[in-house]
Amino acid sequence: MAGGEIIIRPMSVDDAVDFNRLVGIVARERRYLRFLDAPPMDQTVDFLRDSLDAGNPHLAAVLDGELVGWCDICRHSFEIEAHVGRLGIGLLPKLRGKGLGKALLDVTIAAAERLDFHRIELTAFSDNRRAIALYETRGFVREGMMRGAALFGREYRDVVLMARLGAALVKAREDAGGAN
């Protein structure tokens, strides 16, 4: 890992250019994200500003001054779903499989729980077995499959729906006699 120390820190709007660059790198792989390239820069700035202003956790992994990964959880906008957030994560290809995704995920989940997120949702392509396995070790369970939901060129891909319930929601469901 280039010999430096990886720092996980909160992201800011000042990170927009580097974040946009990194999202573009991961999106253009056409294997992990549900879009083909980074959005226009003004949309990235607006997304970061609005999400950070809303109090959502956005964490950056930085190595030798370079943004090399991110993880965020964005709260749903409907009042009845304000306890729910959607997780997004990405890493530079050269840093995958080294524990950085796990570290980013753990720090971001902990931040979300402190912010009263009680359900964290995500989607993953069904062939992204390494990511799905990681999510399962962090308490996410498969809740469904959207068959043929993504089309890359001529290739249809299935999308797995996963979620993790926080302790408060698990207890509330148990107290109400609901299944977990």
Side-chain angles (χ1 to χ4, degrees), residues 7-24 38-49 52 56-72 104:
I7 298 167
I8 297 176
R9 61 157 175 80
M11 195 175 286
S12 75
V13 175
D14 293 338
D15 293 310
V17 170
D18 293 334
F19 178 52
N20 184 272
R21 177 192 55 79
L22 180 56
V23 167
M41 183 55 64
D42 61 327
Q43 290 179 20
T44 299
V45 171
D46 290 345
F47 167 73
L48 272 176
R49 182 182 301 113
L52 291 168
N56 293 323
H58 284 261
L59 289 137
V62 179
L63 174 64
D64 297 331
E66 177 187 8
L67 186 74
V68 297
W70 85 88
C71 189
D72 55 52
L104 264 172

Side-chain angles (χ1 to χ4, degrees), residues 6 12 27 31 77 82 85 119 143 160 167 170:
I6 293 181
S12 75
R31 296 206 47 203
S77 59
R119 175 184 165 88
E143 293 191 332
V160 177
V170 169

Side-chain angles (χ1 to χ4, degrees), residues 1-168:
M1 282 195 278
E5 178 184 355
I6 293 181
I7 298 167
I8 297 176
R9 61 157 175 80
M11 195 175 286
S12 75
V13 175
D14 293 338
D15 293 310
V17 170
D18 293 334
F19 178 52
N20 184 272
R21 177 192 55 79
L22 180 56
V23 167
I25 290 168
V26 177
R28 287 186 297 273
E29 291 180 89
R30 297 182 176 209
R31 296 206 47 203
Y32 305 108
L33 301 180
R34 292 173 74 183
F35 41 93
L36 303 176
D37 206 341
M41 183 55 64
D42 61 327
Q43 290 179 20
T44 299
V45 171
D46 290 345
F47 167 73
L48 272 176
R49 182 182 301 113
D50 293 348
S51 190
L52 291 168
D53 286 350
N56 293 323
H58 284 261
L59 289 137
V62 179
L63 174 64
D64 297 331
E66 177 187 8
L67 186 74
V68 297
W70 85 88
C71 189
D72 55 52
I73 301 175
C74 296
R75 194 177 298 275
H76 284 208
S77 59
F78 295 114
E79 185 177 347
I80 64 169
E81 296 177 351
H83 65 290
V84 181
R86 178 177 278 296
L87 185 136
I89 188 170
L91 300 173
L92 279 180
K94 68 182 178 184
L95 294 174
R96 294 183 191 140
K98 301 178 184 308
L100 179 56
K102 176 180 164 185
L104 264 172
L105 198 55
D106 288 347
V107 173
T108 308
I109 289 170
E113 288 178 343
R114 286 191 302 274
L115 295 166
D116 290 328
F117 285 81
H118 300 292
R119 175 184 165 88
I120 301 170
E121 302 171 338
L122 62 84
T123 59
F125 293 115
S126 62
D127 59 350
N128 191 355
R129 291 179 185 88
R130 185 166 55 178
I132 291 169
L134 170 62
Y135 300 141
E136 289 174 337
T137 68
R138 298 352 261 167
F140 287 86
V141 298
R142 297 172 197 226
E143 293 191 332
M145 175 83 68
M146 297 188 302
R147 296 172 298 147
L151 178 61
F152 288 91
R154 296 177 182 245
E155 177 191 6
Y156 289 95
R157 295 179 61 199
D158 296 341
V159 176
V160 177
L161 306 169
M162 301 183 79
R164 178 185 192 279
L165 303 183

